[in-house]
Amino acid sequence: MSDLLRHPLWEADSLGSPLPDNDFGVSVSLPLWKHVVGYEEGDPDIVSKFRSGYPRFCCPPAIGALFVQAEKEIGQDGERAIVFPRLVHAQRCLEFIARDGFSGRAAEWRDQKLGVALFPAEAYVKARKFWRFCGEVVSTRQAAHVLGQTTSSTSAQAGAAASAAIRQRLADLAGQQPEDVFLFPSGMAANYAVHRMLTTLRPGCRTVQLDFPYVDVLKLQQTFGSGAHFLPLIEESEYEQLRILLAGESLAGLFCEAPSNPLLRCVDLPRLLAIRAETQPDVPIIVDDTISTVVHADACRVADVVTSSLTKSFSGAGDVLAGSVILNRASPHHAAFSAFLKAHADHELWFEDAVALEQNSRDFVQRAEAMSRNALALAEYLAQHPKVERVWHAKQQGGPGYEFVRREGAGYGCLFSFVLKDAANTSARFYDALRVCKGPSLGTDFTLVCPYTLLAHYEELDWAESCGVPRHLIRVSAGLEDIADLITRFDEALNA
């Protein structure tokens, strides 16, 4: 961590390096604006430099090698393989590709009882969409272990103890019980489990996504179940649309983020509760608190279910993928939701990941508070800078919704976004000159910056802009650097 605080990977020759630069880094260095564009367009000169990538999007070497090994050992001619933690995950993948007419087979593999989905090569792109949207992924540590590439002394018993400690830590912070905390191999796997739960318990009902969310959270709802209504809440009139929708259609759940990624807004939660009470009191509310974290926000003041990506601020180190679901014991749905997840969550953290995550999260509270302070100070500095057009930060954009769940005296999380003046002509120069790590993900101990809209919505930039998300938006996840040093780095880049 300290090396990336003082010596970030920001120059062109760091392209493709993991962030952090080890076998388990979940981000990847994209130091120049043209690298981001080249990655999105599949430029082989860019992609060939990758030694890692965010695991749901880009298979790290050990995971790719695991897929190849499965193909060699149990595949037939022309078959490709994707390896999952359990057989049921592979079966769900096959159900997904069957929608497009592809057939395949699922097999249990190796002593670890991994699930392997085997299918024709032409189904691979579709199958990888399941891996991405649903997040039921094998981790890098697990892949390396299965391939015999590691000699870790960590035991399964240590992993179980670590998972129990993580559940207790999250329960204490959330004011819930450890048995209400469920752990998953990624934040998206947590979201997928909740979506499966809602659409199973409320068959045929659609979900509603409120406000502009992280890209795959919306795509998950649109792709699975009965589909989704999307209300970006750009116009005041959309709250009336929500009222009409709730009054006229049985819904599986209402999803929102507190605050949202990347615009740091928050649904007017008191108003949402009032609308629900008047129209469809039994529809569950699901809040994702990844950006604020449980340190700063008590989402259970509103939510029946709280989801979070533990990959981000909870871990901080950027070297382990995980997610959580926390059930609100005060919810009228608690008994049904708890029973479903205990029967169907079908996940546990790989034991080496659990140990790493437990160790990483021991100073979670102090880190979350420090990163929140740095984010606010840097955002306020940029908001006054003559070369900055606009800044989005939850203190300004969160509104009454965020304040409703913000804990007394707490902050707003590590994230903010901004756009430069004359952004089409100035953004690339600024980004290239910025002396911080640059790549996907957030919540790392080191500052991490990316041109978010290009990375998340490259094929739908006009649509993103229609939802209020500028194509040249730059997203900043503030780390633990000295704030004066951090401001100096941004100022130098602005004047480059």
Side-chain angles (χ1 to χ4, degrees):
M1 180 191 75
S2 58
D3 283 342
L4 292 180
L5 291 176
R6 295 191 300 267
H7 306 291
L9 297 179
W10 69 277
E11 294 179 285
D13 61 0
S14 73
L15 171 64
S17 298
L19 296 172
D21 195 0
N22 61 42
D23 290 341
F24 310 116
V26 303
S27 187
V28 61
S29 181
L30 293 166
L32 302 181
W33 193 274
K34 69 178 183 181
H35 293 156
V36 176
V37 174
Y39 163 65
E40 289 296 331
E41 295 184 348
D43 183 342
D45 288 340
I46 304 296
V47 178
S48 65
K49 303 287 198 308
F50 278 35
R51 292 192 287 117
S52 184
Y54 199 78
R56 286 190 303 103
F57 291 85
C58 176
C59 278
I63 295 175
L66 187 70
F67 292 1
V68 170
Q69 191 62 33
E71 290 166 7
K72 287 180 179 177
E73 290 189 17
I74 58 175
Q76 297 173 358
D77 285 348
E79 282 187 329
R80 297 289 302 274
I82 292 182
V83 183
F84 294 91
R86 294 187 183 177
L87 184 63
V88 66
H89 311 141
Q91 291 167 336
R92 286 201 279 260
C93 178
L94 295 180
E95 291 170 7
F96 179 64
I97 66 173
R99 297 179 183 186
D100 285 10
F102 296 114
S103 61
R105 57 194 179 93
E108 208 164 58
W109 183 51
R110 295 284 184 109
D111 294 342
Q112 295 82 7
K113 298 189 181 300
L114 297 164
V116 183
L118 297 139
F119 42 77
E122 56 268 25
Y124 183 75
V125 171
K126 180 75 173 180
R128 279 297 299 274
K129 282 190 176 179
F130 178 85
W131 171 273
R132 170 185 160 179
F133 292 158
C134 300
E136 298 187 316
V137 298
V138 169
S139 77
T140 302
R141 286 181 181 83
Q142 186 173 10
H145 180 93
V146 172
L147 293 171
Q149 296 176 354
T150 59
T151 54
S152 170
S153 59
T154 302
S155 67
Q157 290 79 6
S163 288
I166 292 165
R167 285 194 295 270
Q168 185 70 59
R169 189 166 296 153
L170 288 168
D172 289 345
L173 289 166
Q176 305 299 322
Q177 295 299 315
E179 58 266 31
D180 298 320
V181 180
F182 298 83
L183 301 179
F184 297 85
S186 69
M188 281 308 301
N191 273 285
Y192 180 45
V194 170
H195 188 265
R196 283 189 295 112
M197 175 179 77
L198 297 175
T199 53
T200 300
L201 296 176
R202 295 170 172 246
C205 295
R206 288 185 281 189
T207 58
V208 179
Q209 175 63 51
L210 299 169
D211 202 353
F212 190 90
Y214 168 66
V215 53
D216 285 347
V217 171
L218 177 57
K219 293 191 184 301
L220 173 70
Q221 296 173 64
Q222 293 171 331
T223 303
F224 293 88
S226 297
H229 298 282
F230 174 43
L231 297 176
L233 300 183
I234 297 172
E235 304 293 339
E236 180 70 15
S237 61
E238 290 178 86
Y239 281 98
E240 184 57 31
Q241 292 178 40
L242 176 62
R243 183 189 302 275
I244 294 168
L245 185 59
L246 281 164
E249 178 182 338
S250 282
L251 297 165
L254 309 175
F255 286 78
C256 63
E257 299 173 347
S260 65
N261 179 9
L263 294 181
L264 290 307
R265 305 190 312 177
C266 191
V267 176
D268 186 334
L269 295 171
R271 189 173 182 180
L272 176 63
L273 290 173
I275 291 172
R276 180 177 71 165
E278 295 167 10
T279 55
Q280 196 173 149
D282 66 335
V283 64
I285 294 174
I286 301 88
V287 176
D288 191 297
D289 71 352
T290 297
I291 294 172
S292 58
T293 76
V294 67
V295 171
H296 300 296
D298 181 6
C300 287
R301 293 176 188 172
V302 175
D304 299 278
V305 183
V306 181
T307 58
S308 196
S309 172
L310 305 181
T311 309
K312 312 303 194 299
S313 297
F314 186 77
S315 170
D319 66 355
V320 60
L321 217 62
S324 66
V325 169
I326 300 179
L327 301 181
N328 184 351
R329 294 184 77 79
S331 166
H333 304 289
H334 179 269
F337 288 175
S338 179
F340 181 93
L341 289 179
K342 286 175 180 175
H344 301 293
D346 53 58
H347 279 295
E348 59 189 19
L349 294 182
W350 175 247
F351 64 85
E352 292 167 300
D353 293 311
V355 168
L357 184 61
E358 191 281 320
Q359 291 173 349
N360 291 351
S361 61
R362 290 175 185 175
D363 63 348
F364 166 48
V365 173
Q366 295 86 347
R367 280 188 294 99
E369 291 172 344
M371 292 191 296
S372 178
R373 288 192 298 270
N374 276 358
L376 178 59
L378 187 53
E380 289 180 339
Y381 171 79
L382 292 173
Q384 302 301 317
H385 199 284
K387 294 187 177 181
V388 174
E389 180 70 35
R390 184 174 178 188
V391 173
W392 291 263
H393 184 276
K395 186 174 183 180
Q396 284 72 43
Q397 274 65 47
Y402 186 79
E403 294 304 322
F404 188 73
V405 295
R406 185 167 71 95
R407 299 183 187 277
E408 184 177 357
Y412 298 87
C414 65
L415 205 70
F416 70 92
S417 300
F418 70 100
V419 168
L420 297 174
K421 291 179 179 176
D422 189 21
N425 295 311
T426 58
S427 299
R429 184 170 67 250
F430 162 80
Y431 180 83
D432 294 356
L434 184 59
R435 292 187 296 113
V436 301
C437 291
K438 290 168 279 190
S441 198
L442 62 97
T444 48
D445 297 341
F446 50 91
T447 294
L448 191 55
V449 173
C450 70
Y452 178 81
T453 319
L454 291 187
L455 266 180
H457 300 285
Y458 193 75
E459 301 296 330
E460 51 189 17
L461 291 171
D462 291 341
W463 172 80
E465 287 199 316
S466 76
C467 296
V469 185
R471 67 183 62 212
H472 295 103
L473 179 138
I474 296 170
R475 193 187 70 178
V476 180
S477 174
L480 298 176
E481 294 89 348
D482 174 79
I483 188 58
D485 176 39
L486 204 51
I487 287 173
T488 296
R489 296 190 210 179
F490 274 75
D491 195 57
E492 288 174 353
L494 286 165
N495 291 304

